[in-house]
Amino acid sequence: MKIIAQATTEEEILVPISEGADSAEIRDTIVMQAQCCVVHLCGCNCSC
Amino acid sequence: MVKPSRFNFWARLSADRHLLFNGVTGALYELNDQERQAVLRLLQGSQQLEGVAHDDLVRLLYRGGFLISDQTDEVAQLVQQFEHEARCHRILDITVSPTYECNFRCRYCYVQFQDGRMDADIEQRVVRFIGRQFERYQVTNLTWFGGEPLLCLETVLRVSSELRSAAARMNVHLIGLIATNGYLLGLKTAQELCDAGVTYFHVTVDGSQVCHDRLRVLADGRPSWTRIMENIRTVLENVASAELTLRMNVSEETVASAYQALDEIPLIHRGRVQLNVMPIIWGNELPKPGLFHSANQVIKYALTQGYQYYDMQISPGKRCFCNATKLHNYQIGPDGGLYKCSPSGKPEVHVGQLNNEGIAEYNEKHALWHENADPKGQCLHCPYLCFCFGGCRLDQLRGVSQRSCRARYQDMEGLILSRYVALQGKPAYTSD
């Protein structure tokens, strides 16, 4: 069996942005997630 | 004790190679026939596995989330994650439409092209509104949308620059994007946009020149393909910070031509281009299942040709179907109206207005979007809940959410195979 991708942990997925949670490491993670989420609008009628 | 996850999906890689994907964790394992048989028996509760160490396999599958504790309620966890995502201050997504006017008349477009452009007063309201949110967020996605936003280039540049400065002062990471038809995206414009922090360009090219020019025409009917492709190549060649999403809307008649369009972008730039291929929905008519498969085949091919991976359909961590379900995310119209979605033909999405101070004043529809919005009913039994979280909120409000919710998952195997190619397959082109 070959592991192509290991499970993404909750810590990686849901970085809580609460008071004081502004380390560079967390920021990088969020930015990465934000960049994965960019450009979701399309201007056509495909419901995306 | 353990039990199988409800969100395990299989895909066939070849005659004797298989993929196992978990929609909650994103884990992806490659198995041969013997391993697949063992996993299937184990997931069905068997303790007798030939040639495979039972405990090792359980450990491996547990780690990937394919097996979970029998005390775990996956659906309750997903609902909880949805609710958290809707209200947390993780990423702020604001879309600004400085106009609904457009220089194109695409055959499938639903926008009503109202006249009117954002004036200086509304620009300042937008700056104040978004700037005020910076206190609560560390990352903001600012997307320019339309109509065609480049018809209001000066507005885009002024607002982006002001917000970029404010974000820098407050140590906020601002990501600027623009969804444009690309016709006005010349080199000077692209450079100005990047200087203002708008570095992600979303441009639609609907397949080959023949197909594109049939669908995406200028308001006076002239074709647009040649100039758009020229703009794209020029921007990629000359603006190092530019990233591109190549959007292709495909139908059964045009999907085959998508391959030709992919060849138009030089290999050396494809690492900065992600491909988003989506079937066109004409009115209430849903695409046939085969079209989703064909679209996924194009994406898989693109990955082997050096293009970036782009998947918003089975990405772990998405936590919602659409940003409209997030409490603080809006589209802002040219008149300072606050919307939950592109407003053309959708009166339900107008939820408020920015006042003179750039403060949101909500109407009675705002609450409808966020009250009792968590997945329920049939969705709680759906195998795709981990990806769609109840689907389009507008469809829910209209009572038509069952109409199309599963359409995009009809070719789950294709989606998994693309993910596999992106993670495992070495592209034909590499920078070294």
Side-chain angles (χ1 to χ4, degrees):
Chain A
M1 196 177 312
K2 188 174 174 183
I3 298 175
I4 308 300
Q6 195 45 275
T8 311
T9 66
E10 277 303 288
E11 288 71 26
E12 290 167 321
I13 292 174
L14 279 182
V15 179
I17 307 302
S18 53
E19 304 289 326
D22 61 346
S23 71
E25 187 179 339
I26 290 175
R27 176 183 297 271
D28 287 347
T29 305
I30 302 163
V31 170
M32 194 171 68
Q33 291 171 354
Q35 288 174 338
C36 289
C37 295
V38 300
V39 193
H40 47 274
L41 298 163
C42 64
C44 76
N45 55 354
C46 71
S47 305
C48 65
Chain B
M1 294 292 288
V2 293
K3 63 181 179 183
S5 166
R6 267 187 46 185
F7 303 103
N8 294 332
F9 300 90
W10 289 95
R12 181 181 285 269
L13 195 54
S14 65
D16 60 350
R17 292 162 68 212
H18 311 271
L19 295 172
L20 178 60
F21 175 69
N22 184 269
V24 175
T25 68
L28 182 64
Y29 292 3
E30 182 180 336
L31 306 85
N32 62 28
D33 270 337
Q34 186 190 6
E35 290 164 339
R36 179 173 184 269
Q37 288 305 321
V39 168
L40 281 172
R41 284 199 297 276
L42 199 149
L43 292 176
Q44 289 161 2
S46 172
Q47 301 291 314
Q48 304 297 319
L49 305 176
E50 292 169 17
V52 181
H54 177 274
D55 289 352
D56 288 348
L57 190 54
V58 168
R59 205 171 294 119
L60 205 56
L61 293 176
Y62 189 81
R63 190 174 169 208
F66 303 105
L67 285 173
I68 57 176
S69 162
D70 65 358
Q71 301 299 309
T72 299
D73 184 339
E74 283 181 295
V75 171
Q77 282 185 350
L78 287 173
V79 172
Q80 191 178 24
Q81 287 161 0
F82 171 88
E83 290 171 343
H84 177 266
E85 184 72 16
R87 285 167 172 74
C88 77
H89 296 142
R90 200 158 70 105
I91 300 167
L92 176 66
D93 273 283
I94 297 288
T95 300
V96 183
S97 292
T99 184
Y100 295 127
E101 296 171 19
C102 189
N103 53 341
F104 275 37
R105 288 295 181 273
C106 304
R107 306 294 186 207
Y108 48 72
C109 188
Y110 66 97
V111 174
Q112 289 162 347
F113 310 118
Q114 299 141 286
D115 289 337
R117 300 186 181 190
M118 188 172 282
D119 62 22
D121 171 49
I122 302 295
E123 283 181 21
Q124 283 310 303
R125 296 187 200 192
V126 171
V127 169
R128 288 191 203 113
F129 175 69
I130 298 176
R132 203 173 287 118
Q133 312 298 318
F134 285 163
E135 294 173 8
R136 296 188 293 177
Y137 292 86
Q138 293 185 329
V139 176
T140 295
N141 283 336
L142 172 62
T143 302
W144 291 97
F145 197 60
E148 170 50 47
L150 290 183
L151 292 175
C152 299
L153 176 62
E154 292 307 316
T155 292
V156 174
L157 294 175
R158 270 194 302 271
V159 173
S160 296
S161 297
E162 281 199 50
L163 286 171
R164 191 182 198 196
S165 301
R169 284 196 300 275
M170 299 183 73
N171 202 24
V172 171
H173 190 96
L174 181 65
I175 299 173
L177 315 100
I178 188 163
T180 167
N181 56 43
Y183 196 79
L184 301 174
L185 190 64
L187 179 57
K188 180 172 176 286
T189 298
Q191 283 170 331
E192 288 174 334
L193 287 165
C194 284
D195 290 345
V198 183
T199 57
Y200 288 84
F201 300 95
H202 181 275
V203 180
T204 301
V205 175
D206 285 351
S208 67
Q209 181 169 9
V210 171
C211 291
H212 175 99
D213 281 342
R214 205 180 297 147
L215 292 168
R216 295 184 68 81
V217 295
L218 288 158
D220 61 7
R222 282 182 295 139
S224 63
W225 194 88
T226 301
R227 181 156 161 183
I228 293 169
M229 288 309 303
E230 190 180 307
N231 283 345
I232 286 174
R233 284 190 291 258
T234 303
V235 169
L236 289 171
E237 177 73 33
N238 295 286
V239 188
S241 56
E243 301 264 346
L244 181 78
T245 295
L246 198 58
R247 167 72 185 223
M248 290 193 192
N249 303 309
V250 295
S251 64
E252 286 171 71
E253 292 73 32
T254 65
V255 66
S257 82
Y259 295 93
Q260 295 172 40
L262 292 175
D263 293 337
E264 295 289 333
I265 294 185
L267 277 169
I268 196 166
H269 301 311
R270 292 179 188 169
R272 290 153 60 203
V273 181
Q274 54 185 14
L275 186 67
N276 183 15
V277 184
M278 287 301 292
I280 297 171
I281 298 174
W282 301 91
N284 289 325
E285 191 180 333
L286 291 179
K288 292 179 180 162
L291 184 54
F292 286 93
H293 177 71
S294 300
N296 287 331
Q297 292 288 102
V298 174
I299 293 169
K300 197 165 67 153
Y301 171 78
L303 291 169
T304 68
Q305 300 301 306
Y307 285 91
Q308 276 186 46
Y309 181 54
Y310 177 86
D311 171 46
M312 286 302 294
Q313 298 181 71
I314 58 170
S315 297
K318 197 176 163 195
R319 301 304 195 226
C320 62
F321 180 78
C322 166
N323 285 322
T325 55
K326 296 182 186 175
L327 189 58
H328 306 288
N329 291 354
Y330 302 100
Q331 285 198 45
I332 304 174
D335 61 351
L338 292 172
Y339 304 91
K340 277 293 176 182
C341 183
S342 298
S344 275
K346 305 169 194 166
E348 305 96 322
V349 307
H350 185 201
V351 297
Q353 186 75 27
L354 293 182
N355 69 15
N356 292 337
E357 302 302 316
I359 294 170
E361 292 180 346
Y362 300 112
N363 61 31
E364 71 288 351
K365 282 179 280 189
H366 184 262
L368 291 176
W369 280 81
H370 302 291
E371 285 176 359
N372 208 20
D374 54 307
K376 54 181 68 66
Q378 291 180 47
C379 294
L380 301 180
H381 306 283
C382 177
Y384 308 118
L385 176 66
C386 57
F387 307 125
C388 93
F389 290 86
C392 171
R393 180 63 178 148
L394 180 59
D395 277 354
Q396 287 175 13
L397 292 173
R398 289 177 168 180
V400 294
S401 57
Q402 302 305 320
R403 186 178 68 88
S404 62
C405 66
R406 293 188 177 202
R408 60 185 60 214
Y409 308 113
Q410 288 183 79
D411 184 35
M412 179 57 66
E413 186 165 69
L415 293 169
I416 295 171
L417 289 174
S418 288
R419 177 167 285 261
Y420 171 82
V421 172
L423 294 170
Q424 173 72 4
K426 193 171 175 61
Y429 164 78
T430 57
S431 57
D432 53 16

